[in-house]
Amino acid sequence: MKPNATNAYKIAILAGDAIGPEIMAQAVRVLGLLSKHRDVAFELLEAPFGANAYFTHGKAFPDAAKTACDAADAILKGPVGLSHAESQKIPVAEQAERGAILPLRARYNTFANFRPIYLSKDMAHFSPLKREIIQDGIDILLIRELVGGLYFGEKERGINADGKRYVKEVLEYNEDQVRQVLVVGFEQARLRKGVLHNIHKSNVLMSSVFWNEILDEVHLDFPDIKVIHLLVDAAATALCLNPGQFDVMVMENMFGDILSDQGGGILGSLGLMPSACVGPEKAYYEPSHGSAPDIAGKNIANPYSMIGCVAMMLDMSFGMKAESDAVWAAMKSVFEAGYSTADLSSADSSPKIVSTTEFGDLVMTELERLLALG
Ligand code: IPM
Ligand code: MN
């Protein structure tokens, strides 16, 4: 969406489960600061969503959440899901992934998932990769198709003619679905370095042969973009050995799910990965990581990715690029000053470990300073 004339935005807040509410609380502080220092108003529509929503409302994606999301200009979603034991108390179809996340993606057709794999120079020590490999940091934009493929295909279980149990799930895409996400990939490549890595598995999968055919067609509209083809398995190796070769990567749903977690791995933590899930009408923003039930309630979770989601939302949904940049700059400055959350500690950097709320305090202090400058 484009910035609106009244500078008033409705945001659905789906705090989610486990560490969700703790990190969401820090992210929401950013919105408070912005309305104080800028001519903008945010109306927050809080709604139940995820595993706890199932226990309190009987559904992982209750009507109250649908109403809030339908009314919202953008959606901010925390991680969902509980421990394995707690999840077992929920019918499979209502477990948070199948019952909440996938239906949310389908409802708003959020076909383009932007997952920045980013480490500034001052955060480079968080990466488990050697300095000579990552040099001045990592800056990759992974674009994942988010509403098609195996995750949304037909599923079937049964007993075959030999009396054996079998399972079948279908990987299906139509040409429009492939084209629309490839266009996003090309557009982003054009905005960045003019190079697009197309990740596929066309040596085996018919779906990748199809994907690549559509890519060749879309490429005709982007003759200025250089396309580099890479098989998904080779891409996994390359991400570790030489991440600097990538700028924008585009791929189908499951490849993107797997490689984006590997992206978190080369950063040093999935806690450093916000993401934007963009559809034709609206986008929702979520950390790429899970709800970490083992550390919930301890005030130690890293709120970077949740705050980063706000930064992405400001830029991508509300056209507030300067303010988005200020949020990133504030977070960077906290790391630059040597602070980090527990998930990021590394022996050689002797970080000053801070809690969730302390990290939030440091970011807000710096952000307020930056916003006051103008
Ligand atoms: C992600 C998650 C989800 C996915 C799950 C929780 C449904 O792993 O956003 O990467 O597989 O897409
Ligand atoms: Mn995933």
Side-chain angles (χ1 to χ4, degrees):
M1 91 176 255
K2 295 274 170 297
N4 67 23
T6 56
N7 286 343
Y9 299 104
K10 289 191 172 82
I11 305 172
I13 304 284
L14 313 175
D17 301 314
I19 62 167
E22 297 167 54
I23 59 175
M24 184 64 85
Q26 301 311 312
V28 165
R29 290 173 76 185
V30 170
L31 300 171
L33 277 187
L34 283 171
S35 31
K36 181 169 154 201
H37 288 273
R38 292 290 183 271
D39 179 24
V40 61
F42 299 108
E43 187 184 336
L44 306 185
L45 313 172
E46 291 182 34
F49 185 83
N52 286 320
Y54 171 77
F55 292 123
T56 55
H57 291 69
K59 280 194 171 322
F61 190 5
D63 288 345
K66 290 180 180 159
T67 308
C69 292
D70 287 352
D73 298 304
I75 300 160
L76 206 50
K77 175 198 149 288
V80 297
L82 295 175
S83 66
H84 184 72
E86 285 298 304
S87 298
Q88 296 312 297
K89 299 178 187 161
I90 303 177
V92 171
E94 282 300 325
Q95 287 171 2
E97 295 78 5
R98 286 185 205 83
I101 300 180
L102 297 183
L104 177 67
R105 291 174 184 171
R107 189 173 182 88
Y108 302 108
N109 187 20
T110 55
F111 63 88
N113 184 205
F114 289 61
R115 296 197 158 173
I117 306 172
Y118 177 72
L119 266 191
S120 69
K121 196 173 172 189
D122 301 295
M123 296 157 71
H125 56 282
F126 295 142
S127 173
L129 301 184
K130 294 191 190 95
R131 235 339 145 91
E132 58 262 38
I133 289 179
I134 65 161
Q135 300 184 356
D136 283 345
I138 300 176
D139 187 2
I140 302 169
L141 175 59
L142 186 151
I143 296 185
R144 165 186 178 193
E145 198 293 323
L146 201 60
V147 292
L150 274 174
Y151 292 21
F152 286 86
E154 276 171 39
K155 292 158 205 309
E156 183 181 298
R157 282 186 65 157
I159 310 279
N160 66 18
D162 300 330
K164 301 279 184 194
R165 287 171 297 168
Y166 77 92
V167 65
K168 180 169 139 189
E169 28 202 4
V170 176
L171 196 172
E172 189 174 3
Y173 276 110
N174 68 42
E175 60 178 300
D176 294 343
Q177 285 177 301
V178 174
R179 190 175 296 109
Q180 64 186 359
V181 70
L182 287 173
V183 166
V184 171
F186 276 102
E187 285 171 350
Q188 291 303 310
R190 189 174 265 170
L191 289 170
R192 292 170 55 118
K193 294 186 178 159
V195 180
L196 178 65
H197 276 85
N198 175 47
I199 309 301
H200 62 91
K201 184 74 185 171
S202 70
N203 54 348
V204 175
L205 298 179
M206 183 63 81
S207 52
S208 285
V209 173
F210 180 78
W211 174 281
N212 291 353
E213 267 170 37
I214 310 285
L215 183 132
D216 288 342
E217 293 165 20
V218 178
H219 197 184
L220 297 174
D221 294 332
F222 295 87
D224 50 316
I225 305 300
K226 179 176 176 192
V227 172
I228 299 176
H229 295 278
L230 199 57
L231 294 169
V232 61
D233 44 358
T237 307
L239 262 178
C240 290
L241 295 184
N242 180 13
Q245 71 188 274
F246 297 113
D247 190 51
V248 179
M249 307 171 82
V250 67
M251 64 204 79
E252 69 86 47
N253 201 343
M254 187 167 74
F255 296 164
D257 188 19
I258 296 169
L259 283 194
S260 61
D261 268 40
Q262 193 183 342
I266 67 171
L267 296 181
S269 171
L270 267 181
L272 297 174
M273 281 195 59
S275 91
C277 310
V278 182
E281 284 158 41
K282 65 182 87 181
Y284 88 86
Y285 298 84
E286 66 179 355
S288 304
H289 59 73
S291 59
D294 52 324
I295 60 162
K298 296 185 177 163
N299 194 26
I300 57 173
N302 182 0
Y304 175 96
S305 63
M306 197 73 244
I307 298 174
C309 284
V310 175
M312 293 184 83
M313 176 177 71
L314 293 171
D315 178 19
M316 297 173 71
S317 284
F318 306 149
M320 298 175 71
K321 173 86 170 88
E323 289 73 15
S324 170
D325 287 349
V327 176
W328 289 122
M331 290 208 284
K332 262 187 232 170
S333 83
V334 172
F335 290 129
E336 245 171 69
Y339 296 102
S340 89
T341 46
D343 56 314
L344 297 171
S345 61
S346 81
D348 59 344
S349 58
S350 56
K352 299 172 237 173
I353 303 282
V354 289
S355 66
T356 311
T357 44
E358 284 166 338
F359 185 87
D361 292 345
L362 291 164
V363 172
M364 300 314 144
T365 304
E366 177 61 10
L367 179 60
E368 185 142 34
R369 192 185 72 77
L370 292 173
L371 293 174
L373 290 176

